[in-house]
Amino acid sequence: MGQHDQTVRNAEKLVERAMKGNDASHDAAHAFRVRDLALSLAHEEGLPSPHSMFVVELAALLHDIGDHKYVREHSEEAMMVERFLEEEGLEESLKQKILGIIKGMGFKDELARTEFGKFPLEFGVVQDADRLDAIGAIGIARCFTFGGSRNQALHDPQIHPRLNLSKEQYMKKDEKQTTVNHFHEKLLKLKDMMKTQAGKRRAEKRHNFMQDFLTEFYEEWEGRA
C-alpha cells in the first residue's frame, strides 16, 4: 500500500471517529457518499492525474469535519483536519490545495462572494458532489433529519422563506425557520450553482425530484391530495 493509499485509509478512520456523534444528515455515510460522487465526477470530467484524484478524495472525505453547525469556530475540533494533514506528513502544496477546497466550498461562503472567477477542477468536483448529496431523494431525507435534530417545524405557512439571503442571515441560529423553507432558501438553488458539466447533468434529475416532492407536500398539507 502506497503512502497516499494509507493516508486515505487513515482519513476514513478519522471521519468515522470525528462524525459519529452527528445526526444522520452530516454523518460518516454522508462523507463517504460525497467521496464516491466526487471521484465519479472527476472521472467524467477527465481529471488529469492520480495526484489530482488524491486531492479530490481527501478533500471530499474531510470536508465536513469541524463544520460550524456542530463545533465552535477555532475550537480543537475545528482544527482537526489541519492537524491530521500535518501528522500525515503531506507536502505543503498538497496540504494547501486540500484545505483550500474545504474552506471554500460552503454555501454560506458563496453567499458572501461578490466575484466568481475560475476555479480548479478539483474544487468543482468536490463542491458539486457535496451539493448533489444535498438534493434529490437523499437530500430530502437529510434535510428533514437535520430539521428534526433542531426541533424545527416541518412547515408553517405564516413563516415565509428568506429569499436573497446574506451569509449572516443564513448562519443566524436564533431566527425561527421551517424545514420546508430550507428547500427554497438553499436546496432549489443548488442546481444552477453546479460548477462542472458532470455535476449539472446529475443535478437535473435530483432537482426535478425535489420539485415533484414539494408539489405533493403542499397538496397534502392543504388537504387537496
Side-chain angles (χ1 to χ4, degrees):
M1 185 183 285
Q3 179 57 45
H4 283 187
D5 291 332
Q6 186 58 56
T7 296
V8 169
R9 299 292 83 78
N10 293 344
E12 290 171 343
K13 289 174 189 169
L14 176 64
V15 165
E16 288 176 340
R17 196 165 64 245
M19 301 180 79
K20 68 180 178 185
N22 293 0
D23 65 79
S25 70
H26 291 81
D27 59 1
H30 162 65
F32 295 146
R33 285 194 306 272
V34 172
R35 183 262 303 274
D36 293 343
L37 275 168
L39 291 175
S40 178
L41 294 177
H43 281 296
E44 280 186 45
E45 292 289 326
L47 209 65
S49 68
H51 180 277
S52 292
M53 296 296 269
F54 174 66
V55 168
V56 165
E57 185 161 17
L58 267 194
L61 278 170
L62 302 173
H63 78 280
D64 262 345
I65 292 177
D67 187 292
H68 72 95
K69 293 185 288 296
Y70 296 91
V71 304
R72 294 187 323 279
E73 210 175 351
H74 307 305
S75 65
E76 189 78 6
E77 294 93 336
M79 305 305 291
M80 205 179 281
V81 171
E82 292 184 41
R83 200 166 61 247
F84 170 78
L85 296 177
E86 279 172 22
E87 288 169 357
E88 288 296 312
L90 294 191
E91 58 191 75
E92 191 61 25
S93 62
L94 264 182
K95 198 169 77 174
Q96 291 311 317
K97 272 186 183 176
I98 293 163
L99 290 173
I101 292 171
I102 292 170
K103 287 175 179 175
M105 60 187 281
F107 182 72
K108 67 185 190 312
D109 301 304
E110 204 145 333
L111 288 173
R113 234 172 270 159
T114 54
E115 292 182 17
F116 298 90
K118 287 191 172 179
F119 55 89
L121 190 52
E122 293 96 334
F123 172 79
V125 296
V126 176
Q127 187 185 60
D128 282 3
D130 188 39
R131 289 177 170 178
L132 283 170
D133 204 56
I135 61 179
I138 282 179
I140 291 168
R142 289 181 64 215
C143 187
F144 284 102
T145 296
F146 183 77
S149 77
R150 303 300 161 102
N151 292 321
Q152 282 183 346
L154 291 179
H155 177 51
D156 182 342
Q158 302 305 312
I159 302 174
H160 300 289
R162 302 162 300 170
L163 304 177
N164 303 313
L165 273 175
S166 68
K167 177 180 177 180
E168 290 68 33
Q169 286 173 310
Y170 179 73
M171 291 182 73
K172 251 188 176 178
K173 291 184 170 69
D174 55 355
E175 193 172 346
K176 191 176 180 185
Q177 272 307 318
T178 70
T179 300
V180 163
N181 279 356
H182 190 64
F183 285 87
H184 300 285
E185 293 175 352
K186 177 182 178 181
L187 304 187
L188 291 171
K189 297 177 181 179
L190 295 180
K191 174 177 74 75
D192 294 329
M193 295 171 76
M194 293 288 160
K195 299 286 192 303
T196 67
Q197 292 307 309
K200 287 173 185 173
R201 284 193 296 271
R202 296 202 193 187
E204 197 73 37
K205 179 186 176 190
R206 294 187 185 218
H207 179 85
N208 292 340
F209 186 86
M210 282 196 307
Q211 286 189 310
D212 290 343
F213 168 80
L214 286 171
T215 298
E216 178 70 15
F217 181 94
Y218 290 128
E219 286 184 1
E220 292 182 14
W221 187 272
E222 292 159 14
R224 292 184 288 115

